[in-house]
Amino acid sequence: MKDLYFEDQYWTIRYLIANTGNWLTGRQVLLSPNSITSINKDEECINVNLTKDQIENSPNLDSDKPVSKQFQENFYGYFALPMYGMGMGMEMGGAGAILPFIPAENDEEMLIAAAKERDEWDPHLRSAHNVSGYNIQGIDDTIGHLEDFIIDDETWEIRYLVIDTQNWLPGKKILLAPQWIESVSWDESKLSVNFLCEDIKQSPEYTEETILNRDFETSLYQHYNREGYWTTGSDVKNDFIK
């Protein structure tokens, strides 16, 4: 896996970018999380329900922008997958939460509204690779920079941002939930949070050896006086990937 594209309004993974190496002379292809059947973390292997021919003949990432509407329509049509973001008035959720909205054939107003929505649709896709390194701005100072993402491998939501605070707190890494981001400046490569640097300084430290279980999450949310996502009807299995 070379990169990820996430939808910047809901911080949910929409595509994985895979480099096929010698198989397709290094061609890059997009894969939907809906096509993933299992993940073997020990062997660092992602299994998909696609054949070699399906992947080989998939829409060419190199000849079209992956964020374009035309590319995504071709992509989802080719793999016969539900296209996210096309439902009217439906809440966005995990990778497979949205089904296409199909109005009744005799409902002219609904057909016009659906066509207008398709024309105005913006996928809001961002490359995880390109966003890595963004500065994190606190209330009173720049805290550090975004180093990595922790992803829920069931809903494909970005559950946490891994922040390296070395330019303010030498060597320490902490976690922030995307929901705590107050604003994003894509032009300035900056994410802003409504926390003082001292709050960040006292945040639970995250390391490669940290066991990211519910106890750690609880202490993290309590530190920032935030309600845990698992208490609001969004409880999922406590399993993550980086």
Side-chain angles (χ1 to χ4, degrees):
M1 185 173 65
K2 183 179 180 180
D3 199 358
L4 300 168
Y5 277 100
F6 67 92
E7 198 266 337
D8 64 18
Q9 291 182 311
Y10 299 92
W11 296 84
T12 301
I13 303 300
R14 299 305 181 187
Y15 300 104
L16 291 76
I17 304 178
N19 191 324
T20 57
N22 294 330
W23 172 32
L24 294 178
T25 63
R27 179 187 167 206
Q28 296 180 31
V29 297
L30 288 186
L31 297 173
S32 167
N34 285 304
S35 298
I36 295 174
T37 57
S38 63
I39 299 175
N40 189 322
K41 298 176 185 177
D42 294 333
E43 298 181 4
E44 297 184 349
C45 177
I46 296 176
N47 299 309
V48 297
N49 59 358
L50 304 172
T51 66
K52 183 177 179 179
D53 286 342
Q54 282 180 299
I55 296 175
E56 187 173 8
N57 296 313
S58 65
N60 194 347
L61 177 61
D62 298 328
S63 64
D64 198 352
K65 295 180 180 180
V67 296
S68 72
K69 182 177 69 172
Q70 184 62 48
F71 182 93
Q72 295 191 82
E73 288 176 347
N74 292 339
F75 177 88
Y76 281 91
Y78 175 81
F79 287 111
L81 294 169
M83 189 171 180
Y84 78 90
M86 297 298 289
M88 295 178 61
M90 299 178 68
E91 181 180 356
M92 298 285 287
I98 291 297
L99 296 176
F101 173 75
I102 305 176
E105 293 184 0
N106 60 352
D107 193 334
E108 184 175 356
E109 290 186 2
M110 295 293 280
L111 286 169
I112 293 173
K116 181 179 179 181
E117 181 179 356
R118 286 194 297 270
D119 290 339
E120 296 178 350
W121 177 61
D122 183 348
H124 296 281
L125 293 179
R126 304 286 174 178
S127 160
H129 176 75
N130 291 342
V131 174
S132 296
Y134 272 33
N135 289 325
I136 309 300
Q137 178 66 49
I139 294 175
D140 53 343
D141 201 352
T142 299
I143 297 169
H145 65 271
L146 173 60
E147 182 178 271
D148 205 351
F149 299 87
I150 294 177
I151 301 164
D152 187 307
D153 66 2
E154 183 172 276
T155 64
W156 288 93
E157 296 172 89
I158 295 176
R159 186 62 69 192
Y160 297 108
L161 310 177
V162 180
I163 310 302
D164 189 338
T165 64
Q166 63 181 352
N167 38 335
W168 193 73
L169 302 170
K172 183 174 181 177
K173 295 180 182 179
I174 57 94
L175 299 183
L176 292 174
Q179 294 74 23
W180 304 342
I181 302 297
E182 292 291 319
S183 63
V184 182
S185 174
W186 304 111
D187 293 335
E188 297 178 344
S189 302
K190 181 173 65 177
L191 309 177
S192 298
V193 294
N194 194 29
F195 300 133
L196 294 169
C197 287
E198 186 62 27
D199 295 332
I200 302 296
K201 181 178 180 180
Q202 300 301 325
S203 175
E205 182 174 6
Y206 175 78
T207 70
E208 294 295 330
E209 290 72 37
T210 298
I211 299 176
L212 193 53
N213 54 23
R214 189 51 45 82
D215 288 341
F216 182 89
E217 291 186 286
T218 299
S219 66
L220 180 67
Y221 275 75
Q222 287 178 345
H223 173 76
Y224 290 109
N225 195 28
R226 300 298 176 97
E227 185 177 9
Y229 63 88
W230 56 90
T231 67
T232 58
S234 301
D235 197 9
V236 294
K237 64 183 181 64
N238 193 207
D239 202 4
F240 306 100
I241 58 176
K242 290 180 61 178

